[in-house]
Amino acid sequence: TVSAFQIASTCPLDIAAPLGTLDSADVFRFIEALEGEEPIADVATPFSTFDFFDLLEYLTLFAAGCP
């Protein structure tokens, strides 16, 4: 389970406050960005297409955490 844990603020997955903490706020912000077709949500091929595969890729990366 990925709960709030401290990470470097340079983590590309950390897109919502509080910065420096990877948590559910980042997931909700990603979904919001995906719905709005914001560039930060275009993380999976085919690029320039905002779809379920972007969400799946983000969640996979999120579960792995940041280096």
Short mmCIF file of all heavy atoms in Angstrom, two decimals:
data_model
loop_
_atom_site.label_atom_id
_atom_site.label_comp_id
_atom_site.label_asym_id
_atom_site.label_seq_id
_atom_site.Cartn_x
_atom_site.Cartn_y
_atom_site.Cartn_z
N THR A 1 0.84 -1.19 0.00
CA THR A 1 0.00 0.00 0.00
C THR A 1 0.88 1.23 0.00
O THR A 1 1.79 1.34 0.80
CB THR A 1 -0.90 0.02 1.23
OG1 THR A 1 -1.68 -1.15 1.25
CG2 THR A 1 -1.79 1.25 1.23
N VAL A 2 0.57 2.13 -0.90
CA VAL A 2 1.30 3.39 -0.95
C VAL A 2 0.47 4.40 -0.18
O VAL A 2 -0.59 4.79 -0.62
CB VAL A 2 1.53 3.87 -2.40
CG1 VAL A 2 2.20 5.22 -2.41
CG2 VAL A 2 2.34 2.86 -3.17
N SER A 3 0.95 4.76 0.98
CA SER A 3 0.30 5.84 1.72
C SER A 3 1.23 7.04 1.62
O SER A 3 2.23 7.00 0.92
CB SER A 3 0.07 5.42 3.17
OG SER A 3 1.29 5.05 3.76
N ALA A 4 0.92 8.08 2.31
CA ALA A 4 1.76 9.27 2.25
C ALA A 4 3.16 8.91 2.76
O ALA A 4 3.32 8.41 3.85
CB ALA A 4 1.16 10.38 3.09
N PHE A 5 4.15 9.13 1.92
CA PHE A 5 5.53 8.93 2.36
C PHE A 5 6.38 10.01 1.76
O PHE A 5 6.07 10.55 0.71
CB PHE A 5 6.05 7.52 2.04
CG PHE A 5 6.07 7.16 0.58
CD1 PHE A 5 7.23 7.31 -0.17
CD2 PHE A 5 4.95 6.65 -0.04
CE1 PHE A 5 7.25 6.97 -1.51
CE2 PHE A 5 4.97 6.30 -1.39
CZ PHE A 5 6.12 6.46 -2.12
N GLN A 6 7.45 10.33 2.45
CA GLN A 6 8.30 11.43 2.04
C GLN A 6 9.18 11.03 0.87
O GLN A 6 9.77 9.95 0.86
CB GLN A 6 9.17 11.90 3.20
CG GLN A 6 8.38 12.49 4.35
CD GLN A 6 7.59 13.71 3.93
OE1 GLN A 6 8.10 14.58 3.23
NE2 GLN A 6 6.34 13.78 4.33
N ILE A 7 9.24 11.90 -0.13
CA ILE A 7 10.08 11.69 -1.30
C ILE A 7 10.70 13.01 -1.68
O ILE A 7 10.32 14.06 -1.17
CB ILE A 7 9.26 11.15 -2.49
CG1 ILE A 7 8.13 12.13 -2.82
CG2 ILE A 7 8.73 9.77 -2.21
CD1 ILE A 7 7.46 11.85 -4.12
N ALA A 8 11.66 12.98 -2.57
CA ALA A 8 12.25 14.22 -3.07
C ALA A 8 11.20 14.99 -3.85
O ALA A 8 10.40 14.42 -4.57
CB ALA A 8 13.45 13.89 -3.96
N SER A 9 11.20 16.30 -3.72
CA SER A 9 10.20 17.12 -4.40
C SER A 9 10.42 17.16 -5.90
O SER A 9 9.62 17.71 -6.63
CB SER A 9 10.20 18.54 -3.83
OG SER A 9 11.46 19.13 -4.02
N THR A 10 11.49 16.55 -6.39
CA THR A 10 11.75 16.50 -7.82
C THR A 10 11.07 15.31 -8.49
O THR A 10 11.25 15.08 -9.67
CB THR A 10 13.27 16.45 -8.09
OG1 THR A 10 13.79 15.30 -7.45
CG2 THR A 10 13.95 17.70 -7.60
N CYS A 11 10.29 14.56 -7.75
CA CYS A 11 9.60 13.40 -8.29
C CYS A 11 8.54 13.85 -9.29
O CYS A 11 7.65 14.64 -8.95
CB CYS A 11 8.95 12.62 -7.15
SG CYS A 11 7.98 11.22 -7.72
N PRO A 12 8.58 13.36 -10.53
CA PRO A 12 7.60 13.78 -11.53
C PRO A 12 6.17 13.31 -11.24
O PRO A 12 5.22 13.81 -11.82
CB PRO A 12 8.12 13.16 -12.83
CG PRO A 12 8.97 12.03 -12.40
CD PRO A 12 9.55 12.41 -11.06
N LEU A 13 6.02 12.38 -10.33
CA LEU A 13 4.70 11.89 -9.96
C LEU A 13 4.03 12.78 -8.92
O LEU A 13 2.82 12.73 -8.74
CB LEU A 13 4.80 10.47 -9.40
CG LEU A 13 5.46 9.44 -10.31
CD1 LEU A 13 5.65 8.14 -9.56
CD2 LEU A 13 4.66 9.24 -11.57
N ASP A 14 4.82 13.57 -8.24
CA ASP A 14 4.34 14.44 -7.16
C ASP A 14 3.83 15.74 -7.77
O ASP A 14 4.56 16.70 -7.95
CB ASP A 14 5.48 14.70 -6.18
CG ASP A 14 5.02 15.45 -4.95
OD1 ASP A 14 3.81 15.49 -4.69
OD2 ASP A 14 5.89 15.99 -4.25
N ILE A 15 2.53 15.75 -8.11
CA ILE A 15 1.97 16.87 -8.87
C ILE A 15 0.93 17.66 -8.09
O ILE A 15 0.27 18.54 -8.64
CB ILE A 15 1.37 16.37 -10.20
CG1 ILE A 15 0.32 15.29 -9.97
CG2 ILE A 15 2.48 15.86 -11.12
CD1 ILE A 15 -0.39 14.82 -11.25
N ALA A 16 0.76 17.34 -6.80
CA ALA A 16 -0.23 18.05 -5.99
C ALA A 16 0.34 18.33 -4.61
O ALA A 16 1.21 17.61 -4.11
CB ALA A 16 -1.51 17.23 -5.87
N ALA A 17 -0.19 19.36 -3.98
CA ALA A 17 0.21 19.68 -2.61
C ALA A 17 -0.28 18.58 -1.68
O ALA A 17 -1.32 17.97 -1.93
CB ALA A 17 -0.39 21.02 -2.21
N PRO A 18 0.47 18.28 -0.66
CA PRO A 18 1.74 18.87 -0.29
C PRO A 18 2.88 18.29 -1.12
O PRO A 18 3.01 17.07 -1.23
CB PRO A 18 1.90 18.50 1.19
CG PRO A 18 1.15 17.21 1.33
CD PRO A 18 0.01 17.29 0.34
N LEU A 19 3.65 19.16 -1.73
CA LEU A 19 4.80 18.70 -2.52
C LEU A 19 5.81 18.09 -1.57
O LEU A 19 5.98 18.52 -0.45
CB LEU A 19 5.40 19.85 -3.31
CG LEU A 19 4.47 20.44 -4.38
CD1 LEU A 19 5.14 21.61 -5.08
CD2 LEU A 19 4.05 19.39 -5.38
N GLY A 20 6.46 17.04 -2.05
CA GLY A 20 7.40 16.31 -1.21
C GLY A 20 6.76 15.09 -0.58
O GLY A 20 7.42 14.31 0.09
N THR A 21 5.46 14.90 -0.81
CA THR A 21 4.75 13.74 -0.29
C THR A 21 3.94 13.13 -1.43
O THR A 21 3.12 13.80 -2.03
CB THR A 21 3.79 14.14 0.85
OG1 THR A 21 4.55 14.75 1.89
CG2 THR A 21 3.05 12.94 1.41
N LEU A 22 4.20 11.88 -1.71
CA LEU A 22 3.45 11.17 -2.74
C LEU A 22 2.24 10.54 -2.07
O LEU A 22 2.38 9.68 -1.20
CB LEU A 22 4.35 10.10 -3.38
CG LEU A 22 3.87 9.44 -4.66
CD1 LEU A 22 3.64 10.47 -5.75
CD2 LEU A 22 4.87 8.41 -5.11
N ASP A 23 1.04 11.02 -2.43
CA ASP A 23 -0.16 10.54 -1.76
C ASP A 23 -1.36 10.57 -2.71
O ASP A 23 -1.22 10.85 -3.89
CB ASP A 23 -0.43 11.34 -0.49
CG ASP A 23 -0.63 12.83 -0.74
OD1 ASP A 23 -0.77 13.24 -1.91
OD2 ASP A 23 -0.65 13.58 0.24
N SER A 24 -2.53 10.29 -2.16
CA SER A 24 -3.73 10.22 -2.99
C SER A 24 -4.06 11.54 -3.68
O SER A 24 -4.69 11.54 -4.74
CB SER A 24 -4.92 9.74 -2.17
OG SER A 24 -5.18 10.63 -1.11
N ALA A 25 -3.64 12.66 -3.12
CA ALA A 25 -3.88 13.96 -3.76
C ALA A 25 -3.23 14.00 -5.14
O ALA A 25 -3.77 14.61 -6.07
CB ALA A 25 -3.37 15.10 -2.89
N ASP A 26 -2.08 13.34 -5.28
CA ASP A 26 -1.40 13.29 -6.57
C ASP A 26 -2.20 12.47 -7.58
O ASP A 26 -2.30 12.85 -8.75
CB ASP A 26 0.01 12.71 -6.41
CG ASP A 26 0.87 13.57 -5.51
OD1 ASP A 26 1.07 14.75 -5.83
OD2 ASP A 26 1.33 13.06 -4.47
N VAL A 27 -2.79 11.39 -7.13
CA VAL A 27 -3.61 10.55 -8.02
C VAL A 27 -4.85 11.34 -8.47
O VAL A 27 -5.18 11.35 -9.66
CB VAL A 27 -4.03 9.24 -7.33
CG1 VAL A 27 -4.99 8.45 -8.21
CG2 VAL A 27 -2.80 8.40 -7.00
N PHE A 28 -5.51 12.01 -7.53
CA PHE A 28 -6.69 12.79 -7.89
C PHE A 28 -6.32 13.92 -8.85
O PHE A 28 -7.06 14.20 -9.80
CB PHE A 28 -7.39 13.34 -6.65
CG PHE A 28 -8.01 12.27 -5.80
CD1 PHE A 28 -7.76 12.22 -4.44
CD2 PHE A 28 -8.84 11.31 -6.35
CE1 PHE A 28 -8.33 11.23 -3.65
CE2 PHE A 28 -9.41 10.31 -5.57
CZ PHE A 28 -9.15 10.28 -4.21
N ARG A 29 -5.18 14.55 -8.62
CA ARG A 29 -4.73 15.62 -9.52
C ARG A 29 -4.43 15.06 -10.91
O ARG A 29 -4.73 15.68 -11.92
CB ARG A 29 -3.49 16.32 -8.94
CG ARG A 29 -2.87 17.35 -9.86
CD ARG A 29 -3.84 18.52 -10.13
NE ARG A 29 -3.26 19.43 -11.10
CZ ARG A 29 -3.63 19.52 -12.37
NH1 ARG A 29 -4.62 18.79 -12.84
NH2 ARG A 29 -3.04 20.37 -13.19
N PHE A 30 -3.84 13.86 -10.97
CA PHE A 30 -3.57 13.24 -12.27
C PHE A 30 -4.87 12.98 -13.02
O PHE A 30 -4.97 13.25 -14.21
CB PHE A 30 -2.77 11.94 -12.11
CG PHE A 30 -2.46 11.33 -13.44
CD1 PHE A 30 -1.37 11.76 -14.17
CD2 PHE A 30 -3.30 10.37 -14.00
CE1 PHE A 30 -1.11 11.23 -15.44
CE2 PHE A 30 -3.05 9.84 -15.26
CZ PHE A 30 -1.95 10.27 -15.97
N ILE A 31 -5.87 12.45 -12.33
CA ILE A 31 -7.15 12.17 -12.97
C ILE A 31 -7.77 13.47 -13.49
O ILE A 31 -8.32 13.51 -14.60
CB ILE A 31 -8.09 11.43 -12.00
CG1 ILE A 31 -7.54 10.02 -11.74
CG2 ILE A 31 -9.52 11.36 -12.55
CD1 ILE A 31 -8.23 9.28 -10.62
N GLU A 32 -7.67 14.51 -12.71
CA GLU A 32 -8.16 15.82 -13.13
C GLU A 32 -7.42 16.28 -14.39
O GLU A 32 -8.04 16.78 -15.34
CB GLU A 32 -7.92 16.81 -11.99
CG GLU A 32 -8.67 18.08 -12.04
CD GLU A 32 -8.40 18.87 -10.76
OE1 GLU A 32 -7.31 19.45 -10.63
OE2 GLU A 32 -9.29 18.88 -9.89
N ALA A 33 -6.11 16.11 -14.42
CA ALA A 33 -5.30 16.50 -15.58
C ALA A 33 -5.66 15.64 -16.79
O ALA A 33 -5.72 16.13 -17.92
CB ALA A 33 -3.82 16.37 -15.26
N LEU A 34 -5.93 14.37 -16.56
CA LEU A 34 -6.31 13.47 -17.65
C LEU A 34 -7.65 13.90 -18.26
O LEU A 34 -7.78 13.97 -19.48
CB LEU A 34 -6.39 12.04 -17.13
CG LEU A 34 -6.64 10.93 -18.15
CD1 LEU A 34 -5.52 10.87 -19.17
CD2 LEU A 34 -6.77 9.59 -17.44
N GLU A 35 -8.59 14.21 -17.41
CA GLU A 35 -9.90 14.66 -17.90
C GLU A 35 -9.79 15.96 -18.70
O GLU A 35 -10.52 16.16 -19.66
CB GLU A 35 -10.87 14.85 -16.73
CG GLU A 35 -11.31 13.56 -16.10
CD GLU A 35 -12.18 13.76 -14.87
OE1 GLU A 35 -12.17 14.85 -14.28
OE2 GLU A 35 -12.87 12.80 -14.51
N GLY A 36 -8.85 16.82 -18.30
CA GLY A 36 -8.65 18.09 -18.99
C GLY A 36 -7.65 18.01 -20.12
O GLY A 36 -7.31 19.02 -20.74
N GLU A 37 -7.15 16.81 -20.39
CA GLU A 37 -6.16 16.56 -21.44
C GLU A 37 -4.94 17.49 -21.31
O GLU A 37 -4.44 18.04 -22.28
CB GLU A 37 -6.79 16.65 -22.83
CG GLU A 37 -7.83 15.58 -23.06
CD GLU A 37 -8.37 15.53 -24.48
OE1 GLU A 37 -8.04 16.39 -25.31
OE2 GLU A 37 -9.15 14.59 -24.75
N GLU A 38 -4.47 17.62 -20.06
CA GLU A 38 -3.28 18.41 -19.79
C GLU A 38 -2.03 17.58 -20.14
O GLU A 38 -2.01 16.37 -19.93
CB GLU A 38 -3.24 18.82 -18.32
CG GLU A 38 -4.38 19.72 -17.92
CD GLU A 38 -4.37 20.04 -16.44
OE1 GLU A 38 -3.26 20.15 -15.85
OE2 GLU A 38 -5.46 20.17 -15.86
N PRO A 39 -0.99 18.23 -20.63
CA PRO A 39 0.23 17.51 -21.04
C PRO A 39 0.83 16.60 -19.96
O PRO A 39 1.36 15.54 -20.28
CB PRO A 39 1.20 18.63 -21.41
CG PRO A 39 0.32 19.76 -21.81
CD PRO A 39 -0.90 19.65 -20.93
N ILE A 40 0.70 16.96 -18.68
CA ILE A 40 1.28 16.12 -17.63
C ILE A 40 0.60 14.76 -17.53
O ILE A 40 1.14 13.84 -16.93
CB ILE A 40 1.26 16.80 -16.24
CG1 ILE A 40 -0.16 17.08 -15.78
CG2 ILE A 40 2.12 18.03 -16.22
CD1 ILE A 40 -0.27 17.45 -14.32
N ALA A 41 -0.57 14.62 -18.13
CA ALA A 41 -1.31 13.36 -18.07
C ALA A 41 -1.05 12.46 -19.27
O ALA A 41 -1.55 11.34 -19.32
CB ALA A 41 -2.81 13.64 -17.96
N ASP A 42 -0.25 12.91 -20.20
CA ASP A 42 0.04 12.12 -21.40
C ASP A 42 1.32 11.32 -21.17
O ASP A 42 2.40 11.71 -21.59
CB ASP A 42 0.18 13.06 -22.61
CG ASP A 42 0.16 12.32 -23.93
OD1 ASP A 42 -0.22 11.14 -23.95
OD2 ASP A 42 0.52 12.94 -24.94
N VAL A 43 1.18 10.20 -20.46
CA VAL A 43 2.36 9.44 -20.03
C VAL A 43 2.51 8.08 -20.70
O VAL A 43 3.47 7.36 -20.42
CB VAL A 43 2.38 9.28 -18.49
CG1 VAL A 43 2.49 10.63 -17.81
CG2 VAL A 43 1.14 8.53 -18.00
N ALA A 44 1.59 7.71 -21.56
CA ALA A 44 1.66 6.39 -22.20
C ALA A 44 1.38 6.51 -23.69
O ALA A 44 0.70 7.42 -24.14
CB ALA A 44 0.65 5.44 -21.57
N THR A 45 1.91 5.56 -24.44
CA THR A 45 1.63 5.53 -25.87
C THR A 45 0.21 5.04 -26.08
O THR A 45 -0.31 4.26 -25.27
CB THR A 45 2.62 4.60 -26.61
OG1 THR A 45 2.54 3.30 -26.03
CG2 THR A 45 4.03 5.12 -26.53
N PRO A 46 -0.44 5.49 -27.10
CA PRO A 46 0.01 6.48 -28.08
C PRO A 46 -0.06 7.88 -27.48
O PRO A 46 -1.05 8.25 -26.84
CB PRO A 46 -0.97 6.34 -29.24
CG PRO A 46 -2.23 5.83 -28.61
CD PRO A 46 -1.78 4.98 -27.43
N PHE A 47 1.01 8.64 -27.64
CA PHE A 47 1.05 9.98 -27.11
C PHE A 47 0.08 10.87 -27.88
O PHE A 47 -0.27 10.58 -29.01
CB PHE A 47 2.48 10.53 -27.13
CG PHE A 47 3.39 9.77 -26.21
CD1 PHE A 47 4.38 8.95 -26.71
CD2 PHE A 47 3.22 9.83 -24.83
CE1 PHE A 47 5.20 8.23 -25.85
CE2 PHE A 47 4.02 9.10 -23.97
CZ PHE A 47 5.02 8.29 -24.49
N SER A 48 -0.35 11.92 -27.24
CA SER A 48 -1.37 12.85 -27.76
C SER A 48 -2.76 12.23 -27.75
O SER A 48 -3.69 12.78 -28.31
CB SER A 48 -1.03 13.36 -29.16
OG SER A 48 0.19 14.06 -29.13
N THR A 49 -2.89 11.09 -27.12
CA THR A 49 -4.18 10.45 -26.91
C THR A 49 -4.33 10.25 -25.41
O THR A 49 -3.49 9.60 -24.79
CB THR A 49 -4.26 9.08 -27.61
OG1 THR A 49 -4.04 9.27 -29.01
CG2 THR A 49 -5.60 8.41 -27.39
N PHE A 50 -5.35 10.82 -24.82
CA PHE A 50 -5.56 10.74 -23.38
C PHE A 50 -6.59 9.65 -23.12
O PHE A 50 -7.77 9.80 -23.46
CB PHE A 50 -6.03 12.09 -22.84
CG PHE A 50 -5.01 13.17 -23.05
CD1 PHE A 50 -4.95 13.88 -24.24
CD2 PHE A 50 -4.08 13.45 -22.07
CE1 PHE A 50 -4.00 14.87 -24.43
CE2 PHE A 50 -3.12 14.42 -22.25
CZ PHE A 50 -3.08 15.12 -23.44
N ASP A 51 -6.12 8.55 -22.52
CA ASP A 51 -7.02 7.41 -22.35
C ASP A 51 -6.65 6.60 -21.11
O ASP A 51 -5.80 7.00 -20.31
CB ASP A 51 -7.01 6.54 -23.60
CG ASP A 51 -5.63 6.02 -23.98
OD1 ASP A 51 -4.71 6.07 -23.15
OD2 ASP A 51 -5.47 5.56 -25.13
N PHE A 52 -7.30 5.46 -20.98
CA PHE A 52 -7.10 4.58 -19.83
C PHE A 52 -5.64 4.17 -19.68
O PHE A 52 -5.18 3.96 -18.56
CB PHE A 52 -7.99 3.33 -19.99
CG PHE A 52 -7.77 2.29 -18.94
CD1 PHE A 52 -8.25 2.48 -17.66
CD2 PHE A 52 -7.05 1.14 -19.23
CE1 PHE A 52 -8.03 1.52 -16.68
CE2 PHE A 52 -6.83 0.19 -18.26
CZ PHE A 52 -7.32 0.37 -16.98
N PHE A 53 -4.91 4.05 -20.78
CA PHE A 53 -3.52 3.62 -20.70
C PHE A 53 -2.64 4.65 -19.99
O PHE A 53 -1.66 4.29 -19.34
CB PHE A 53 -2.98 3.26 -22.08
CG PHE A 53 -3.72 2.09 -22.67
CD1 PHE A 53 -4.61 2.27 -23.70
CD2 PHE A 53 -3.56 0.81 -22.15
CE1 PHE A 53 -5.33 1.19 -24.22
CE2 PHE A 53 -4.26 -0.27 -22.65
CZ PHE A 53 -5.15 -0.09 -23.69
N ASP A 54 -2.99 5.92 -20.10
CA ASP A 54 -2.28 6.95 -19.35
C ASP A 54 -2.51 6.77 -17.85
O ASP A 54 -1.58 6.85 -17.05
CB ASP A 54 -2.72 8.35 -19.79
CG ASP A 54 -2.28 8.66 -21.20
OD1 ASP A 54 -1.07 8.64 -21.48
OD2 ASP A 54 -3.16 8.93 -22.05
N LEU A 55 -3.76 6.51 -17.48
CA LEU A 55 -4.07 6.29 -16.07
C LEU A 55 -3.37 5.04 -15.55
O LEU A 55 -2.76 5.06 -14.47
CB LEU A 55 -5.58 6.16 -15.87
CG LEU A 55 -6.06 5.86 -14.45
CD1 LEU A 55 -5.61 6.95 -13.48
CD2 LEU A 55 -7.56 5.69 -14.42
N LEU A 56 -3.42 3.98 -16.30
CA LEU A 56 -2.77 2.74 -15.89
C LEU A 56 -1.27 2.93 -15.72
O LEU A 56 -0.69 2.47 -14.73
CB LEU A 56 -3.05 1.64 -16.93
CG LEU A 56 -2.54 0.25 -16.59
CD1 LEU A 56 -3.17 -0.26 -15.31
CD2 LEU A 56 -2.85 -0.69 -17.75
N GLU A 57 -0.63 3.64 -16.63
CA GLU A 57 0.81 3.89 -16.53
C GLU A 57 1.13 4.75 -15.31
O GLU A 57 2.08 4.46 -14.58
CB GLU A 57 1.33 4.57 -17.80
CG GLU A 57 2.81 4.85 -17.78
CD GLU A 57 3.69 3.62 -17.78
OE1 GLU A 57 3.21 2.50 -18.03
OE2 GLU A 57 4.91 3.77 -17.52
N TYR A 58 0.34 5.79 -15.07
CA TYR A 58 0.58 6.63 -13.90
C TYR A 58 0.45 5.82 -12.62
O TYR A 58 1.29 5.90 -11.72
CB TYR A 58 -0.38 7.83 -13.85
CG TYR A 58 -0.11 8.72 -12.67
CD1 TYR A 58 0.87 9.70 -12.72
CD2 TYR A 58 -0.80 8.56 -11.47
CE1 TYR A 58 1.15 10.50 -11.63
CE2 TYR A 58 -0.53 9.36 -10.37
CZ TYR A 58 0.45 10.32 -10.46
OH TYR A 58 0.73 11.10 -9.36
N LEU A 59 -0.59 5.00 -12.51
CA LEU A 59 -0.79 4.20 -11.31
C LEU A 59 0.32 3.17 -11.12
O LEU A 59 0.73 2.90 -9.98
CB LEU A 59 -2.16 3.51 -11.34
CG LEU A 59 -3.35 4.45 -11.24
CD1 LEU A 59 -4.66 3.68 -11.42
CD2 LEU A 59 -3.34 5.25 -9.95
N THR A 60 0.82 2.63 -12.21
CA THR A 60 1.95 1.69 -12.12
C THR A 60 3.19 2.40 -11.60
O THR A 60 3.88 1.88 -10.70
CB THR A 60 2.24 1.08 -13.51
OG1 THR A 60 1.08 0.36 -13.94
CG2 THR A 60 3.44 0.15 -13.47
N LEU A 61 3.48 3.57 -12.13
CA LEU A 61 4.62 4.35 -11.66
C LEU A 61 4.43 4.80 -10.21
O LEU A 61 5.36 4.76 -9.41
CB LEU A 61 4.84 5.57 -12.57
CG LEU A 61 5.24 5.26 -14.01
CD1 LEU A 61 5.16 6.52 -14.86
CD2 LEU A 61 6.62 4.64 -14.06
N PHE A 62 3.22 5.21 -9.89
CA PHE A 62 2.90 5.65 -8.52
C PHE A 62 3.14 4.52 -7.53
O PHE A 62 3.73 4.72 -6.46
CB PHE A 62 1.45 6.13 -8.48
CG PHE A 62 1.02 6.65 -7.13
CD1 PHE A 62 1.20 7.99 -6.83
CD2 PHE A 62 0.43 5.81 -6.19
CE1 PHE A 62 0.79 8.49 -5.59
CE2 PHE A 62 0.03 6.30 -4.96
CZ PHE A 62 0.21 7.64 -4.66
N ALA A 63 2.69 3.33 -7.87
CA ALA A 63 2.86 2.18 -6.97
C ALA A 63 4.33 1.86 -6.75
O ALA A 63 4.72 1.41 -5.67
CB ALA A 63 2.13 0.96 -7.53
N ALA A 64 5.16 2.12 -7.76
CA ALA A 64 6.60 1.86 -7.65
C ALA A 64 7.29 2.94 -6.80
O ALA A 64 8.38 2.72 -6.28
CB ALA A 64 7.23 1.78 -9.02
N GLY A 65 6.65 4.11 -6.69
CA GLY A 65 7.25 5.21 -5.93
C GLY A 65 8.31 5.93 -6.73
O GLY A 65 8.53 5.66 -7.90
N CYS A 66 8.95 6.85 -6.08
CA CYS A 66 10.01 7.65 -6.72
C CYS A 66 11.37 7.21 -6.23
O CYS A 66 11.51 6.82 -5.08
CB CYS A 66 9.80 9.12 -6.45
SG CYS A 66 8.40 9.79 -7.33
N PRO A 67 12.34 7.33 -7.12
CA PRO A 67 13.70 6.94 -6.70
C PRO A 67 14.26 7.86 -5.63
O PRO A 67 13.85 8.95 -5.46
CB PRO A 67 14.51 7.06 -7.97
CG PRO A 67 13.65 7.69 -8.99
CD PRO A 67 12.27 7.76 -8.46
#
